[in-house]
Amino acid sequence: MEKKPLNHFHPGSSVLSFGTAGCNSGCRFCQNFDIAKARSIDKLSVGASPEKIVQIAASRGIDSVAFTYNDPIVFAEYAIDTAQACRALGIHPIAVTAGYMSAEARPDFYAAMDAANIDLKGFTEDFYWKVTGTHLADVLATIDYAVNEARTPEGEHVWVELTTLLIPGLNDDDAQLHAECTWIGEHLGPDVPLHFSAFHPSYRIMDVPPTPHETLTRARAIALAEGLHYVYVGNVHDREGDTTYCPNPQCHAKLIECDWYRIIADRLSASSGGNGHCPQCGTAIAGRW
């Protein structure tokens, strides 16, 4: 689950991931460009009905199915049908998405998901348009909807986490980071987890170096200073940045201690005897445990 990344949604549980071909974003740094930029006929591989996908997951004891690799909004009907088949067998449907979709598409799409990781790729319209070919305002509207309005059929909030890939010189300056974290705090609240991930040269941005580790730790420090409770770093080895801490400033206990994607200690999840509260001070920890 941590690879999606979703740190507060049934940590350590298994996920079956799949995607199709094509994308509605034009990211110049796409990590899956061979899939996202391909025509479906170029990538025709294995035919799989929603029922077949879910049967494979169930037969292997897999807890969740993730729609990922390319944006699931481009195969929304297929994803929704698969999500419904998942729920029929108690398997969690998860979206990994850039959040670039119309207001009309959001209700049906997010009602089908139990959780989502949404990319917030930067925090200026200039970056979004020049580097991704999309618009910041549309993504912010999707994130706002997914966090504050979307519900599962049982009436529970869809669980949402955010990811920002930090690209040196493009979206990693202090002004953008402060603005992003302020917006998250004001519109979504401090409990939505935020992941800062390291960029590696890819596709059409090969002349920019990988993200320095210190950039990730600086971004994490800014987010925490802005009042966000759960901030992580990704694509690098950083045990502190991988670990979930109690947000109570008088406590700050380690709750889920991770080393890369390996969980060292879990004091929250029901599967490990936890009850979603800090065992040290009793603070409720946002998530699905």
Side-chain angles (χ1 to χ4, degrees):
M1 188 64 70
E2 287 70 20
K3 290 185 177 182
K4 296 305 101 188
L6 287 168
N7 284 16
H8 289 234
F9 190 82
H10 304 290
S13 61
S14 55
V15 184
L16 172 65
S17 298
F18 82 95
T20 60
C23 191
N24 64 335
S25 297
C27 299
R28 296 176 58 81
F29 53 85
C30 184
Q31 304 292 299
N32 296 315
F33 64 90
D34 55 332
I35 298 171
K37 307 306 176 185
R39 296 176 181 269
S40 59
I41 193 171
D42 297 328
K43 288 292 176 181
L44 187 62
S45 180
V46 178
S49 67
E51 292 74 21
K52 181 178 180 180
I53 291 169
V54 177
Q55 287 167 4
I56 291 172
S59 68
R60 300 186 182 187
I62 294 173
D63 303 301
S64 303
V65 169
F67 314 113
T68 183
Y69 303 127
N70 65 320
D71 202 297
I73 193 61
V74 304
F75 58 95
E77 295 86 355
Y78 181 33
I80 291 169
D81 288 347
T82 304
Q84 292 170 345
C86 284
R87 283 179 170 156
L89 291 184
I91 294 172
H92 302 293
I94 297 170
V96 180
T97 171
Y100 187 58
M101 61 183 70
S102 68
E104 293 79 8
R106 291 173 195 138
D108 289 342
F109 182 81
Y110 282 100
M113 303 301 157
D114 286 353
N117 185 287
I118 305 176
D119 287 336
L120 182 50
K121 297 176 185 289
F123 213 74
T124 67
E125 171 61 17
D126 185 67
F127 171 84
Y128 254 89
W129 179 242
K130 290 181 179 179
V131 182
T132 78
T134 62
H135 299 289
L136 174 60
D138 296 311
V139 175
L140 294 181
T142 294
I143 293 171
D144 195 319
Y145 177 87
V147 172
N148 293 315
E149 298 185 51
R151 299 289 193 279
T152 67
E154 295 75 27
E156 188 175 40
H157 278 280
V158 174
W159 180 252
V160 176
E161 302 189 21
L162 305 177
T163 297
T164 299
L165 183 76
L166 294 178
I167 306 174
L170 294 180
N171 65 348
D172 64 340
D173 59 277
D174 283 7
Q176 280 196 70
L177 293 172
H178 277 289
E180 174 179 332
C181 295
T182 298
W183 184 88
I184 292 171
E186 291 178 350
H187 291 262
L188 312 179
D191 287 339
V192 173
L194 174 61
H195 304 257
F196 289 114
S197 292
F199 162 82
H200 298 283
S202 182
Y203 193 41
R204 294 180 176 174
I205 300 186
M206 299 297 296
D207 57 344
V208 175
T211 309
H213 197 144
E214 55 267 26
T215 297
L216 299 171
T217 56
R218 172 174 56 86
R220 182 171 182 268
I222 287 173
L224 292 171
E226 287 283 350
L228 303 189
H229 289 166
Y230 310 107
V231 188
Y232 303 94
V233 300
N235 290 345
V236 295
H237 188 269
D238 187 323
R239 195 157 175 170
E240 180 178 357
D242 290 338
T243 294
T244 300
Y245 295 87
C246 177
N248 180 351
Q250 281 73 50
C251 180
H252 202 57
K254 291 181 179 179
L255 301 177
I256 300 180
E257 189 174 358
C258 293
D259 188 0
W260 205 255
Y261 298 120
R262 185 167 62 97
I263 294 177
I264 307 300
D266 182 351
R267 305 170 72 191
L268 283 177
S269 299
S271 60
S272 61
N275 66 353
H277 290 71
C278 174
Q280 189 162 306
C281 71
T283 297
I285 309 302
R288 305 288 183 265
W289 311 111

